[in-house]
Amino acid sequence: MRKFLVYFFSFWALTVVVGLSVLGLRGSTSRKPPLEVFPDMDHQPKLRPQTVTKFAGFADGLSSRLPVAGTISRDSAWELNSFNTGKTEDGGWVDAMPVPVTHELVKRGRERYDIYCTPCHGAAGDGNGVTTQFGMAAVAKLHDERLIKMSDGEIFNTITLGKNLMGPYGEKLDPKDRWAVISYVRALQLSRLGKKEEIPDAVQANLK
Amino acid sequence: MSDIFPKWTNQLPLMAGVAGAVLGLTAVAGITYFVTPKYTRVGYQPKQPVAFSHAIHADQLGMDCRYCHDDVDKSWFSNIPSSSTCMNCHSQVKKDSDKLQLVRDSYASGKPIPWVQIHKVPDYVYFNHSVHVNRGISCVHCHGEIQKMEEVYHAESLSMSFCLECHREPEKFIRPNELVTKLDWKNEGFDGKKAVHDWKVQPGQSCSTCHR
């Protein structure tokens, strides 16, 4: 019996050690795709976005389809009005934004600005965002007189399509969000233009 | 008879019992430990075609997740950014780096970069990002501390019990909605119970919530 126990447990311990060293512990990283124990109906023949499809009709293999040439999606901002383009009917820039500026809009604008514009233009619009330390050059300072005087429509166009060295943000910001961002940019600009007298009395007292 | 069955065979039943019990318990322990998504999925870290680092972009540069994953708060699907998103900066930053060759090629040709997908729920599960991230549920609960990862790996099991753990007690996880993408946020005095009540957060637990 003794002999049996010795042999048996040696064998057992060896199996466990070999097993653990082959399988590893939970959470250890692995390059291999997860093992599927029962793949049930995990993979159904349906299209998921941004994957490759073998469907013969889609020769390029993209599951996220681009619009057919010459068409637009119904829920896109297709209508050529000043809200969607920043332009007036005769092709000039819209001077002031075509949406009412509310507290909500500016708040939304601030959130979107912080996400999409701060990396380059900086939190306060000084053109000193973090990327400028890594070689991003020529970032505009949003407090420039030229940009303060610029019409809302032209800034709208810059956000939608980009300008010179700045990439387009129309895909990431729908028209409403673009106007919201502009309202916040205007608020940033105003914050530097105010006069001392305009500061409420309660705050004046704290100024040095 | 003792000629046919030597004496030690008297202990055969006992030996078989011991061996059976030990092997049985080992098998049960092994299966509970290994045959679960906590083992099979967690840690999956495929080699990506471009050495993109969340630690640089999200932590060091402080970029918001939504700069790149911009559909996450708008739709069920959280997109992987197109190469034009990368080129907003990399047209100037590190513009000659070898590591970015594929990004530049993809931008020029329009052919997507073949990123390897890491997180995926089975096709019979209905999942939706926007309902979570617009209701104060942070990426960190389901994806781990992405902002510290040089290379993304699967950090949570994403099994059914994982989803239900939170759907039963959202007050333990919920946070102010503007902080959803601040993955390192620590709860200091935010009242989850009150938020769940005030915002009427009601994660479903019936089967048709996620299987529809």
Side-chain angles (χ1 to χ4, degrees), chain A residues 98-117:
Chain A
V99 283
V101 179
T102 57
H103 182 69
E104 282 307 305
L105 190 79
V106 182
K107 230 177 105 189
R108 172 81 180 170
R110 175 179 186 162
E111 188 201 53
R112 297 289 119 175
Y113 179 93
D114 284 346
I115 298 171
Y116 297 108
C117 318

Side-chain angles (χ1 to χ4, degrees), chain A residues 12 23 30-31 44 137 169, chain B residues 26 39 45 67 92 123 151:
Chain A
W12 177 81
L23 294 169
S30 153
R31 294 287 187 202
Q44 296 166 21
Y169 286 81
Chain B
T26 313
Y39 169 76
Q45 187 179 41
Y67 184 96
Q92 292 195 53
D123 282 346
E151 277 180 89

Side-chain angles (χ1 to χ4, degrees), chain B residues 23-202:
Chain B
L23 292 180
L25 282 174
T26 313
V28 170
I31 288 170
T32 9
Y33 189 80
F34 289 115
V35 188
T36 142
K38 282 193 184 133
Y39 169 76
T40 54
R41 281 184 204 145
V42 174
Y44 175 43
Q45 187 179 41
K47 187 125 192 67
Q48 298 290 352
V50 177
F52 174 80
S53 158
H54 280 81
I56 293 184
H57 292 85
D59 195 35
Q60 194 190 339
L61 301 179
M63 289 173 74
D64 193 287
C65 313
R66 288 167 290 184
Y67 184 96
C68 292
H69 303 293
D70 58 291
D71 281 344
V72 72
D73 57 354
K74 302 187 194 103
S75 79
W76 75 268
F77 181 68
S78 172
N79 62 311
I80 300 292
S82 65
S83 43
S84 63
T85 303
C86 315
M87 289 307 274
N88 284 338
C89 292
H90 288 295
S91 58
Q92 292 195 53
V93 178
K94 294 252 174 198
K95 68 171 190 250
D96 301 315
S97 169
D98 289 341
K99 290 191 192 162
L100 288 158
Q101 188 58 45
L102 204 61
V103 178
R104 289 192 294 269
D105 292 349
S106 153
Y107 182 64
S109 69
K111 262 186 75 173
I113 303 171
W115 300 109
V116 184
Q117 187 177 0
I118 303 161
H119 300 84
K120 180 181 180 304
V121 288
D123 282 346
Y124 54 78
V125 176
Y126 172 81
F127 178 72
N128 190 322
H129 271 99
S130 64
V131 289
H132 292 95
V133 301
N134 290 327
R135 299 288 255 165
I137 302 298
S138 169
C139 324
V140 74
H141 302 306
C142 303
H143 295 301
E145 298 197 290
I146 295 275
Q147 88 281 16
K148 297 208 177 128
M149 299 181 192
E150 282 295 338
E151 277 180 89
V152 181
Y153 57 85
H154 207 303
E156 297 293 341
S157 70
L158 298 186
S159 65
M160 180 161 144
S161 65
F162 168 83
C163 307
L164 284 171
E165 241 164 63
C166 176
H167 276 218
R168 291 192 180 117
E169 295 178 303
E171 62 274 10
K172 283 194 185 158
F173 301 91
I174 203 156
R175 61 171 72 182
N177 208 34
E178 359 17 301
L179 298 170
V180 159
T181 52
K182 301 270 171 290
L183 302 197
D184 50 8
W185 181 76
K186 296 264 172 318
N187 191 346
E188 278 153 11
F190 179 71
D191 188 350
K193 266 217 167 78
K194 187 163 177 307
V196 168
H197 177 266
D198 290 356
W199 309 343
K200 301 200 177 57
V201 172
Q202 285 160 337

Side-chain angles (χ1 to χ4, degrees), chain A residues 184-204:
Chain A
Y184 182 64
V185 169
R186 293 300 189 209
L188 284 177
Q189 292 174 339
L190 259 180
S191 72
R192 298 279 169 87
L193 296 172
K195 293 194 202 65
K196 207 173 167 209
E197 299 84 74
E198 288 168 4
I199 301 172
D201 290 340
V203 186
Q204 285 265 12

Side-chain angles (χ1 to χ4, degrees), chain A residues 14-24, chain B residues 34:
Chain A
L14 193 74
T15 326
V16 170
V17 168
V18 171
L20 277 178
S21 55
V22 171
L23 294 169
Chain B
F34 289 115

